[in-house]
Amino acid sequence: MGEIFLKMEKVTKIFPGVKALDEINLEVETGEIHVLLGENGAGKSTLIKILTGLYQPDGGSIYIKGDAVKSNSPQQALAAGIVPIYQELNLIQELDVTENIFMGREIKKIERFGILDREKMENRTKEILTELNQNISPTALIQDLGVGKQQMVEIGKALSVDVNLLILDEPTSALGKDEVKELFRTMRHLKEKGVTIIFISHKLDEVKEIGDRVTVLRDGKYISTKNIADVSEDDLVREMVGRDIKNQFPKVKIEKGAEALRVKNLSRAGVVNNVSLRAYRGKVLGIAGLVGSGRTELVRTIIGADRKDSGEIYIHGQKVEINHPKDALKYGMVLLTEDRKNQGLFLDQTVEFNCTSANLNKYKQNVLLDLTRQKEDTVGLIRSLQIKTPSTQTKVKQLSGGNQQKVVIGKWLNTEADIFIFDEPTRGIDVGAKVEVYNVINELTNRGVAVIMVSSELPEILGISDHILVISEGKVTAEFEAEEATQEKIMSAATINGGINNAV
Amino acid sequence: MQSKEAVGINISGGTTNWRKLLFDKLGSLLGLIVLMIILTFASPYFLTVNNLTNVLQQASINALVASGMLLAILTAGIDLSVGSVLALSISVSGIVIINFGLNPVLGILACLFVGGTAGMTNGLLLTKLRLPHPFIATLGMMNVARGLALIITGASPVSGFPDWIQFIGSGYIGPIPFSFILVIVAVIIFHYFLNRTTLGRHIYAVGGNIEAARLSGIDTDRVLTWVYTISGFMAAMGGIVLMGKVNAAYPLAGLSYELDAIAAVIIGGASFLGGVGTIWGTLIGAMIIAVIRNGLNLLGVSPDLQTVVIGAVIIGAVYIDVLRRQKK
Ligand SMILES: Nc1ncnc2c1ncn2[C@@H]1O[C@H](COP(=O)(O)OP(=O)(O)OP(=O)(O)O)[C@@H](O)[C@H]1O
Ligand SMILES: [Mg+2]
């Protein structure tokens, strides 16, 4: 056994109504990649935040290289070389990439007068991003980048400081295959240099690929620590959820119904290029493609969140004009956005507020809203999606990341829409809960709803879709029936540039 | 799955909700109580029926105006025009009633109509012209409305209103000022409006995350237009009380009322970032300001120094709130 870098002993953290951590132990060796695994709400992020001084523990002790940590604050942790990348992105949307990377540690020309050396910072930013093989301009505004690119900037920010312990809380949930590859390459490189890494992910194949050892948490309790080489993915699932998951993709095939949505020659300058597609009642249309290929822009344009330049949209055979998401909602079409924090949730509001926010008219009784029915529906959603929350009145910002994602799904399920567009619906959701989301999709199609699902996870695309479109550089480059599609075929279509539009 | 235990913890959060409501409010309410206790000891006149009803009346106009301001602040905006809109509304009302001999009931409706229209104009400037921040539109309106009020009145007051209008501003029902009863009615309506109607909930949604609101199919422009319309309307309501109280409509009425209104909303626990705040908090905020003014008067503190104290109180109250949030 190597030298122990970090030891956490009987760490306990209590939030109002929840014992988030119950005497957790964690031992991380110097230079290893240690994986934290557990269901949504198991306590992973909380444990990390205690380690980085963001939260103070209610009990237990922390040792770094054998020395007890008496007091801990984010500044002290950073000074000790403990660098976290939190689950929710913390970039400033209005500033550019360089300013975000050097936030608080700006390089100055003349130290005394605080005059910034912009050129030096930009060059350094370019270096860091090149090292990650990212083609992102140092002067790009964060708000103009997709979440995948934002995540890479966040990683770049962490790499720009001297790090002893790098903590990555679900860095890959917003990343595509290629970016994950770059991240892993960088992680291995850091590991060779002796950096210790804590890595959190719900994707077990990634855990197997990159991890050395794994510690499993369940419901705030310590379950086990194992060498990853000694366990299978199934073993990990069993440790995490306490049972086997037999079928990861419980697909139910439904008879193809009438055409619900037809998009004809839709374009939006620079991002969506002459796309046509059809979605049918009872069917799932999967949209695959690399991160940044224009999938998100496509679905945003369809529901009127972004303005289209040309193209037509037909709903149930009728040509419609959609200029605002409210128009789409009126025609029964909704979009679950990929960026839950900035586009999906009202973080300061309760679970109930969020779950009912897209369809308040449903509860209108004369003038006032019917609170009893709101609560009933919310409780129903909490049950069916297994949202882990102390009550319907808990603020959403107090839920774990995966549970927040479930709230966004709940918000849309609570509409009477019959065309559902999901952009990365299972982002940050644990293995068990994913199955629940797929079951929900099955229920929807069974009800005659048309589903469109954008996803970066190919197994999910292959396992749940009936029909698959592949997008590259804003164009449809291939189209498959689910039966004939394979990961290889999709990947090769996803990397074509400017293919022919052979859709519909 | 362990879903049942995980989900079944405390789904019936109904009772905790009330306790939380009380606790959230406790900060400013506690402040008000402490303040009153101190003043009771500092001045023998403070805790008299006469004085307390006086305080309630003082608080009334600000409470009405601040209710509208609360909506603007809930949407992460601001309405700087309330004082001027108040002046314009009562000026129009005074002229049509006194100079043109219009039925006073219609004159009062005209007052509310002018307030609502000025407010709606703010909202439309914001949403249709896409002016970057309500600060701009309402700053413009602040000047335009004040100017119009001066022009139409020829810069002099109009007075001589019927008794029932004076009663709105200075009458009593039992020991309670009628204007304060008006406030209570307004606050109860606002409470239901904000928590139990679609528009009210959409106001919190727009303030909490405007992009998420838009993507949830909420017509954010419509919500914002309503917010400023209601704010203008409530300014006019405050104006009616003022007009009744002094039995006059004058173009320089409501000078710097926007500052007292903003102070009441912020002392009442609302956040400038939007999405957080309650009407009860705002009411307490308005009372705190009135109690401080009254107390300083009783203690013989000069008006100039009073301004300094109010400024310090605003900063102190918000700082306490910041501390409370950090603790959580
Ligand atoms: N600030 C907070 N206030 C109250 N409760 C909290 C807070 N942060 C987390 N919790 C609760 O603590 C528990 C553990 O949350 P945590 O975020 O650590 O889960 P996680 O393992 O990271 O889950 P996920 O995989 O969904 O990210 C959850 O039940 C959550 O609701
Ligand atoms: Mg987490």
Side-chain angles (χ1 to χ4, degrees):
Chain A
M1 217 159 90
E3 183 200 3
I4 303 292
F5 182 84
L6 165 76
K7 187 169 172 186
M8 296 176 91
E9 221 174 46
K10 297 201 166 177
V11 169
T12 298
K13 178 73 192 174
I14 299 166
F15 291 116
V18 200
K19 202 166 195 179
L21 298 175
D22 188 2
E23 305 204 341
I24 298 283
N25 298 316
L26 178 68
E27 241 179 42
V28 181
E29 292 171 19
T30 305
E32 77 163 328
I33 297 180
H34 197 103
V35 177
L36 274 184
L37 206 58
E39 290 178 294
N40 297 131
K44 306 177 295 291
S45 299
T46 306
L47 191 66
I48 293 311
K49 287 177 185 166
I50 284 179
L51 182 55
T52 59
L54 215 56
Y55 292 159
Q56 298 307 318
D58 295 311
S61 20
I62 304 175
Y63 305 88
I64 303 263
K65 292 187 169 164
D67 296 333
V69 177
K70 297 252 158 46
S71 72
N72 198 9
S73 72
Q75 290 74 22
Q76 284 169 317
L78 205 59
I82 299 180
V83 180
I85 298 177
Y86 295 113
Q87 186 169 9
E88 303 301 331
L89 297 170
N90 288 300
L91 300 171
I92 299 182
Q93 298 283 323
E94 289 77 17
L95 299 182
D96 71 14
V97 173
T98 305
E99 286 162 333
N100 268 285
I101 286 190
F102 285 96
M103 177 72 45
R105 295 171 294 104
E106 293 83 359
I107 303 176
K108 309 212 177 74
K109 260 201 188 106
I110 311 168
E111 191 61 40
R112 283 211 28 213
F113 299 121
I115 295 169
L116 298 180
D117 193 339
R118 176 75 203 187
E119 200 185 321
K120 208 172 193 175
M121 289 194 284
E122 264 181 36
N123 287 338
R124 183 78 189 104
T125 301
K126 204 171 282 163
E127 269 171 42
I128 293 168
L129 292 173
T130 315
E131 194 163 325
L132 286 166
N133 254 327
Q134 291 304 303
N135 182 17
I136 304 173
S137 158
T139 54
L141 291 183
I142 296 298
Q143 61 195 16
D144 296 335
L145 303 176
V147 273
K149 297 278 180 213
Q150 291 189 18
Q151 182 72 65
M152 291 314 272
V153 173
E154 193 73 89
I155 291 165
K157 186 176 169 181
L159 297 183
S160 73
V161 295
D162 278 335
V163 39
N164 294 323
L165 173 63
L166 179 66
I167 302 172
L168 299 156
D169 193 350
E170 290 193 41
T172 60
S173 69
L175 298 183
K177 254 198 153 84
D178 281 3
E179 282 118 340
V180 173
K181 221 166 75 192
E182 291 308 326
L183 173 64
F184 283 4
R185 201 176 49 77
T186 312
M187 283 168 67
R188 290 196 183 99
H189 182 67
L190 289 172
K191 183 178 151 175
E192 274 164 28
K193 290 202 303 191
V195 174
T196 310
I197 300 176
I198 295 180
F199 176 73
I200 299 178
S201 170
H202 288 292
K203 300 179 188 170
L204 297 175
D205 50 340
E206 292 177 359
V207 170
K208 285 288 287 178
E209 184 187 337
I210 193 79
D212 295 317
R213 292 195 308 154
V214 54
T215 293
V216 178
L217 309 183
R218 194 195 305 157
D219 271 335
K221 297 199 178 62
Y222 172 88
I223 301 296
S224 63
T225 301
K226 300 218 155 93
N227 281 324
I228 285 180
D230 303 341
V231 288
S232 68
E233 286 187 27
D234 288 341
D235 295 336
L236 291 175
V237 170
R238 211 171 305 120
E239 294 278 302
M240 257 169 80
V241 301
R243 67 188 166 90
D244 286 312
I245 292 179
K246 281 172 213 83
N247 188 358
Q248 277 210 27
F249 300 104
K251 173 72 185 168
V252 179
K253 284 265 175 195
I254 311 279
E255 227 13 61
K256 182 166 171 175
E259 174 192 286
L261 170 71
R262 174 145 60 108
V263 173
K264 219 173 123 185
N265 306 114
L266 191 72
S267 290
R268 175 174 158 81
V271 284
V272 180
N273 194 345
N274 202 27
V275 172
S276 298
L277 60 83
R278 290 170 197 246
Y280 297 91
R281 289 180 169 280
K283 291 288 171 192
V284 179
L285 173 66
I287 300 185
L290 303 179
V291 170
S293 61
R295 301 167 306 173
T296 293
E297 288 79 358
L298 168 65
V299 290
R300 280 179 62 91
T301 311
I302 292 177
I303 68 133
D306 295 334
R307 199 162 284 282
K308 66 172 192 237
D309 292 325
S310 63
E312 290 161 13
I313 290 172
Y314 297 82
I315 287 182
H316 305 310
Q318 295 282 317
K319 183 160 187 267
V320 294
E321 266 316 307
I322 293 180
N323 296 314
H324 187 287
K326 70 170 195 261
D327 301 332
L329 188 63
K330 195 175 69 199
Y331 294 118
M333 178 163 70
V334 299
L335 167 67
L336 179 143
T337 49
E338 64 170 346
D339 181 349
R340 62 173 170 255
K341 184 175 164 193
N342 290 311
Q343 300 172 358
L345 291 170
F346 306 104
L347 287 171
D348 277 319
Q349 298 292 348
T350 64
V351 174
E352 184 176 299
F353 183 104
N354 277 274
C355 282
T356 54
S357 61
N359 194 14
L360 279 178
N361 281 332
K362 176 175 170 189
Y363 303 102
K364 213 148 118 185
Q365 251 189 352
N366 305 319
V367 211
L368 295 185
L369 298 168
D370 182 343
L371 296 186
T372 320
R373 265 178 50 226
Q374 280 189 30
K375 173 170 258 171
E376 275 167 19
D377 282 5
T378 309
V379 170
L381 289 167
I382 291 174
R383 292 246 155 82
S384 72
L385 293 168
Q386 301 184 1
I387 302 171
K388 196 177 168 203
T389 172
S391 87
T392 56
Q393 303 303 320
T394 303
K395 286 194 179 155
V396 165
K397 67 175 172 200
Q398 297 176 344
L399 302 189
S400 78
N403 285 299
Q404 291 182 3
Q405 179 71 16
K406 294 183 201 172
V407 171
V408 188
I409 297 179
K411 170 172 99 175
W412 292 119
L413 289 181
N414 200 15
T415 61
E416 278 109 44
D418 48 17
I419 304 169
F420 273 82
I421 307 178
F422 291 116
D423 195 355
E424 306 283 4
T426 60
R427 242 188 91 192
I429 287 189
D430 71 49
V431 213
K434 267 185 189 166
V435 177
E436 300 308 323
V437 173
Y438 302 141
N439 283 330
V440 163
I441 291 179
N442 283 333
E443 273 168 42
L444 288 175
T445 50
N446 195 23
R447 236 169 56 196
V449 166
V451 175
I452 297 178
M453 181 181 70
V454 174
S455 173
S456 299
E457 282 187 64
L458 289 180
E460 180 170 281
I461 286 277
L462 290 166
I464 296 301
S465 315
D466 295 293
H467 194 82
I468 298 166
L469 286 189
V470 186
I471 305 270
S472 174
E473 298 190 351
K475 282 193 176 180
V476 177
T477 51
E479 220 185 329
F480 307 100
E481 287 304 318
E483 293 75 29
E484 62 191 45
T486 61
Q487 296 217 11
E488 292 69 31
K489 282 188 194 170
I490 292 177
M491 276 324 283
S492 77
T495 44
I496 303 175
N497 30 19
I500 22 96
N501 185 350
N502 57 357
V504 218
Chain B
M1 215 168 174
Q2 30 70 285
S3 71
K4 269 181 212 80
E5 43 173 315
V7 167
I9 312 169
N10 185 11
I11 229 73
S12 51
T15 48
T16 50
N17 190 18
W18 270 107
R19 204 185 306 152
K20 231 179 61 194
L21 204 85
L22 211 67
F23 187 75
D24 279 354
K25 230 86 318 104
L26 215 61
S28 37
L29 188 59
L30 213 66
L32 180 61
I33 293 169
V34 169
L35 206 62
M36 290 178 70
I37 293 174
I38 294 174
L39 286 173
T40 305
F41 285 106
S43 161
Y45 300 109
F46 180 74
L47 206 64
T48 58
V49 175
N50 249 341
N51 186 55
L52 288 182
T53 53
N54 188 16
V55 170
L56 290 184
Q57 199 171 43
Q58 299 280 334
S60 297
I61 298 171
N62 188 20
L64 291 170
V65 177
S67 311
M69 182 69 73
L70 169 68
L71 301 193
I73 289 180
L74 277 179
T75 58
I78 195 134
D79 187 349
L80 296 177
S81 69
V82 286
S84 302
V85 167
L86 178 153
L88 178 61
S89 309
I90 61 172
S91 296
V92 169
S93 175
I95 286 174
V96 295
I97 296 174
I98 308 295
N99 298 7
F100 298 170
L102 190 74
N103 179 336
V105 176
L106 294 179
I108 291 296
L109 290 179
C111 178
L112 297 172
F113 179 78
V114 171
T117 309
M120 191 198 289
T121 310
N122 280 331
L124 292 175
L125 286 172
L126 176 69
T127 55
K128 295 285 178 263
L129 298 192
R130 310 238 151 261
L131 296 184
H133 191 276
F135 197 99
I136 316 286
T138 61
L139 182 65
M141 178 60 73
M142 178 176 172
N143 289 293
V144 170
R146 181 70 66 194
L148 286 178
L150 284 161
I151 292 170
I152 61 170
T153 56
S156 53
V158 195
S159 60
F161 290 98
D163 287 350
W164 67 268
I165 291 185
Q166 294 187 41
F167 183 82
I168 296 176
S170 52
Y172 285 83
I173 292 182
I176 314 274
F178 179 76
S179 58
F180 193 72
I181 294 176
L182 213 59
V183 168
I184 293 300
V185 172
V187 165
I188 290 172
I189 292 176
F190 264 71
H191 174 79
Y192 278 96
F193 167 63
L194 282 172
N195 296 299
R196 297 283 298 275
T197 69
T198 316
L199 181 58
R201 292 272 294 272
H202 285 172
I203 289 173
Y204 281 102
V206 167
N209 186 343
I210 192 164
E211 183 61 3
R214 191 173 77 96
L215 289 165
S216 299
I218 295 172
D219 189 340
T220 51
D221 284 356
R222 188 178 148 269
V223 172
L224 287 171
T225 307
W226 269 112
V227 161
Y228 288 92
T229 306
I230 297 171
S231 180
F233 182 89
M234 291 310 293
M237 281 289 279
I240 294 171
V241 172
L242 177 67
M243 188 163 75
K245 188 168 146 191
V246 298
N247 190 20
Y250 54 109
L252 290 180
L255 269 182
S256 81
Y257 275 22
E258 63 280 353
L259 301 182
D260 271 5
I262 294 168
V265 172
I266 298 301
I267 291 176
S271 159
F272 263 128
L273 301 177
V276 179
T278 65
I279 189 68
W280 299 104
T282 299
L283 174 63
I284 291 168
M287 306 261 285
I288 287 180
I289 293 178
V291 167
I292 292 176
R293 284 249 158 82
N294 173 263
L296 296 175
N297 275 332
L298 290 179
L299 300 177
V301 176
S302 78
D304 299 347
L305 188 55
Q306 287 189 21
T307 316
V308 175
V309 173
I310 300 272
V313 166
I314 294 172
I315 294 170
V318 176
Y319 180 62
I320 290 170
D321 197 51
V322 168
L323 288 182
R324 213 174 49 189
R325 265 166 235 260
Q326 268 173 3
K327 249 189 157 172
K328 280 190 209 162

